[in-house]
């Protein structure tokens, strides 16, 4: 069992600092506590390592900027700002790809729900750069998977799976998996898109959870689409 940390809560000063700064809004009390911790000698490599591992470095960067980076070494600030800029650029490209797919699916009358990623960041924070994202995930109804796959291929996506599934094998794919991956390549950026028709792995076929999700789904816009 872990002993209690220097803050009396079981966390080290570095962990406590990260917990305070990995949030969308700083209350005056949280800000005061954070400033007090930032005035101590901290292991910044440890903070950065944990911020990367938990995908919260965009919040850390933005909140430290709001506070004026007190007590943060110059090289740590440079590294953190570079990480934040790179994440923002990657998310902008992922959002552009998602918008393109949403438009094409809308034109084809295919219902689609973006899962996680930049759409979740936009919904929760109003800022797509505040979440660390590596790909695009979308959910479509089972009956639309074949049509959605054809549209993605027509948009320049490639099948990412080693065992490529052709149209004749689509029923087997639907019964044996919950997603299928596609890759989109440009000169500047290669992105992964995962096409889902279910939301969880199960021991036996059961569509009730997904059916309930679609029954409760409501129209919403993502950047105007």
């Amino acid at each position: 069992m872990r002993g209690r940390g220097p803050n009396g809560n079981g966390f080290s000063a570095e962990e406590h600092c990260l917990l305070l700064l990995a949030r969308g809004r700083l209350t005056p009390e949280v800000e005061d506590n954070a400033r007090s911790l930032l005035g101590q000698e901290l292991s910044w490599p440890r903070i950065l390592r944990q911020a990367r591992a938990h995908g919260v470095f965009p919040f850390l960067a933005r909140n430290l900027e709001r506070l004026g980076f007190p007590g943060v070494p110059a090289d740590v600030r440079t590294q953190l700002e570079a990480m934040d800029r790179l994440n923002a650029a990657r998310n902008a490209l992922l959002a552009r790809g998602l918008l393109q797919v949403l438009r094409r699916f809308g034109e084809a009358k295919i219902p689609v729900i973006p899962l996680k990623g930049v759409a979740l960041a936009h919904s929760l924070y109003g800022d797509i750069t505040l979440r660390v994202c590596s790909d695009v995930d979308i959910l479509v109804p089972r009956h639309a998977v074949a049509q959605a796959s054809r549209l993605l291929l027509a948009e320049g996506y490639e099948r990412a799976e080693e065992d490529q599934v052709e149209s004749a094998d689509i029923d087997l794919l639907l019964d044996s998996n919950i997603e299928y991956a596609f890759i989109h390549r440009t000169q500047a950026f290669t992105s992964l898109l995962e096409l889902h028709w279910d939301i969880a792995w199960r021991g036996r076929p059961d569509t009730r959870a997904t059916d309930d999700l679609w029954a409760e789904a409501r129209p919403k816009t993502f950047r105007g689409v």
Side-chain angles (χ1 to χ4, degrees):
M1 181 180 294
R2 182 171 183 175
R4 299 181 70 82
N7 298 289
N9 54 17
F11 299 112
S12 68
E14 289 81 6
E15 291 167 336
H16 192 198
C17 184
L18 187 58
L19 285 169
L20 289 174
L21 295 175
R23 59 185 71 197
R25 185 175 66 88
L26 301 184
T27 65
E29 180 182 3
V30 168
E31 184 174 329
D32 288 343
N33 289 338
R35 287 187 182 279
S36 177
L37 281 168
L38 290 167
Q40 302 177 22
E41 184 176 346
L42 299 172
S43 172
W44 282 100
R46 182 178 181 184
I47 292 175
L48 291 182
R49 185 167 59 250
Q50 291 187 334
R52 283 198 199 94
H54 295 290
V56 295
F57 63 80
F59 287 108
L60 178 63
R62 307 300 171 81
N63 285 322
L64 284 174
E65 182 180 14
R66 292 189 187 102
L67 297 176
F69 287 96
V72 181
D75 61 326
V76 171
R77 174 175 178 173
T78 298
Q79 184 178 353
L80 189 56
E81 289 176 333
M83 290 162 55
D84 188 39
R85 286 194 300 270
L86 181 61
N87 182 68
R90 181 173 57 246
N91 283 11
L93 293 170
L94 290 173
R96 182 187 304 172
L98 175 59
L99 286 170
Q100 178 185 8
V101 168
L102 294 179
R103 289 192 185 98
R104 290 291 289 118
F105 281 29
E107 293 166 358
K109 308 300 182 185
I110 299 177
V112 56
I113 300 175
L115 303 174
K116 307 178 292 181
V118 291
L120 179 59
H122 181 266
S123 177
L124 288 178
Y125 315 123
D127 185 346
I128 65 169
T129 68
L130 285 177
R131 197 166 192 272
V132 179
C133 307
S134 60
D135 60 7
V136 169
D137 294 85
I138 58 174
L139 177 74
V140 300
R142 285 175 62 92
H143 67 79
V145 170
Q147 183 185 6
S149 298
R150 290 193 296 269
L151 279 176
L152 289 172
L153 293 173
E155 287 296 306
Y157 283 81
E158 307 167 16
R159 296 180 178 92
E161 308 290 345
E162 291 184 6
D163 298 326
Q164 294 191 2
V165 177
E166 304 300 334
S167 298
D169 304 316
I170 197 70
D171 289 337
L172 178 62
L173 175 67
L174 292 174
D175 291 336
S176 63
N177 214 318
I178 65 171
E179 65 189 33
Y180 194 69
F182 294 83
I183 292 176
H184 191 260
R185 307 178 194 274
T186 65
Q187 284 187 325
F189 188 62
T190 297
S191 61
L192 178 70
L193 181 146
E194 292 186 341
L195 178 67
H196 297 251
W197 51 92
D198 204 340
I199 55 175
W201 292 94
R202 301 181 180 85
R204 62 178 185 273
D206 186 350
T207 64
R208 287 176 296 178
T210 310
D211 292 342
D212 288 345
L213 188 152
W214 282 110
E216 296 177 6
R218 298 293 180 268
K220 191 170 184 179
T221 60
F222 174 66
R223 292 195 159 187
V225 178

